[in-house]
Amino acid sequence: MEKIDYTSRHHQIALYAKALAHPARVAILEFLAARECCFFGNLHDVLPIAKATVSQHLTVLKESGLIQGEIKPPQVRYCINKENWDVARDLFGVFFNDLKKIECS
Amino acid sequence: MEKIDYTSRHHQIALYAKALAHPARVAILEFLAARECCFFGNLHDVLPIAKATVSQHLTVLKESGLIQGEIKPPQVRYCINKENWDVARDLFGVFFNDLKKIECS
DNA sequence: CGAACTGTTCGTATATTTGCGAACTGACAT
DNA sequence: ATGTCAGTTCGCAAATATACGAACAGTTCG
C-alpha cells in the first residue's frame, strides 16, 4: 500500500476547521453572520475575554480568510468574507455529505 | 451590551472543528468514509506518519465521537460513528447556511 | 512456553495556542 | 501639543498539540 501525501483539500479543510476550533471564534462568526458587519467594540462588549484576546482571535479568523476587517477611523469594522465562507461551506458540505457506505457490523 | 457565555453549541462546533483541524485526521476520516471500516494497519500503511502518531490521531477522533474502534484480535477495526457524524454535519450545515444578510458595503 | 504480529502507551522534545496586562499606534478633537 | 478613544502589538506564562522511538500488552501460532 502506498503512502499518500495530504492533499491541498485536506490542508484547506484542516485550516478552516482550525479557525472554528475555539468557542470564541465560533461565537464571533455567529455574531458577525447574524447582524451585519460590526465593530471591534461590539464584539469585545459581548465576549467574556480581554480585548487583546479578542484581537488575537480576530487575527486568526482574518488569516483563515473567513472574515475581513476594514479600518473606519477610529474604529475597525469586521465582516464575513462571503467568498471564502462559501468555499468553506462547500468543503465541509462535500466532506460530510459524500459518505456512501458506512454501515459497520 | 451584555457579555455572553459561549453556548453548548459553540463548544460542540469548536470540538468537532478541533477534530478536523489536522490534515492527518481529515485524511483518516476521508479514508474511513470511502472504504468501509478498516484496520489500523491500513491507515498506517497509507499515512506518512509513525504508527504512534497515527494512534494518537485516532484517539483524538475517538474522543471527538466521530469514529469508533472495535477490537478484532489481533487487529483493531475503525469506522465512522454515523450518529455523531450526522450531528456534526447538521451543526456545520446550520452554521454555514443560516447566513442571511452579510452584504457589507 | 516462546516468537510473531498488531496496536497502544510512555517519555520526551518542540511548537503552537490561549490568555492577559501593559505599552503602543493612529486618528481626531480640544 | 495634549488628551482621548479604538484597537493592535508586545512580552510573558501556562496549557495543549504534534511527533517520534522505544517499550509494553494482548492474541495467536508453532
Side-chain angles (χ1 to χ4, degrees):
Chain A
M1 197 62 94
E2 287 297 307
K3 300 281 182 199
I4 58 169
D5 275 335
Y6 306 134
T7 68
S8 67
R9 262 191 62 263
H10 294 155
H11 283 288
Q12 271 232 322
I13 291 177
L15 286 176
Y16 283 128
K18 199 174 276 191
L20 293 180
H22 191 289
R25 295 197 290 270
V26 176
I28 288 170
L29 289 169
E30 203 171 74
F31 194 83
L32 288 180
R35 18 210 109 219
E36 303 227 2
C37 317
C38 68
F39 298 102
F40 177 92
N42 304 133
L43 290 164
H44 177 227
D45 286 345
V46 154
L47 295 169
I49 47 181
K51 64 184 179 167
T53 310
V54 174
S55 199
Q56 236 171 226
H57 283 302
L58 286 168
T59 299
V60 171
L61 288 172
K62 262 187 294 184
E63 280 170 355
S64 79
L66 288 174
I67 69 171
Q68 54 197 279
E70 185 192 359
I71 298 173
K72 289 263 185 189
Q75 293 167 287
V76 180
R77 166 141 77 162
Y78 284 99
C79 61
I80 299 284
N81 180 318
K82 179 117 177 67
E83 247 175 75
N84 291 330
W85 184 273
D86 287 345
V87 171
R89 178 184 50 211
D90 291 348
L91 279 173
F92 284 102
V94 169
F95 185 77
F96 277 111
N97 288 301
D98 283 8
L99 268 186
K100 314 294 182 190
K101 28 176 181 173
I102 1 180
E103 288 319 317
C104 181
S105 59
Chain B
M1 196 65 96
E2 287 296 309
K3 299 282 182 199
I4 57 168
D5 275 336
Y6 306 135
T7 68
S8 68
R9 263 192 61 263
H10 295 153
H11 284 289
Q12 271 232 322
I13 292 177
L15 286 176
Y16 283 128
K18 200 173 275 191
L20 294 179
H22 192 288
R25 295 196 291 270
V26 175
I28 288 171
L29 290 170
E30 201 170 76
F31 194 82
L32 288 180
R35 17 209 110 217
E36 304 226 3
C37 316
C38 69
F39 298 102
F40 177 92
N42 303 134
L43 289 164
H44 178 226
D45 287 345
V46 154
L47 295 169
I49 48 181
K51 65 182 178 166
T53 310
V54 174
S55 200
Q56 236 172 225
H57 283 303
L58 287 168
T59 298
V60 171
L61 288 172
K62 263 188 294 184
E63 282 171 353
S64 79
L66 288 174
I67 69 171
Q68 54 197 282
E70 187 191 359
I71 299 174
K72 290 262 186 188
Q75 293 168 286
V76 179
R77 166 142 76 163
Y78 284 99
C79 62
I80 299 285
N81 179 318
K82 180 118 178 66
E83 247 174 76
N84 291 330
W85 183 273
D86 286 346
V87 170
R89 179 184 52 211
D90 291 349
L91 279 173
F92 283 100
V94 169
F95 184 76
F96 277 111
N97 288 301
D98 284 7
L99 267 186
K100 312 295 179 190
K101 27 175 181 172
I102 2 179
E103 288 318 316
C104 181
S105 59

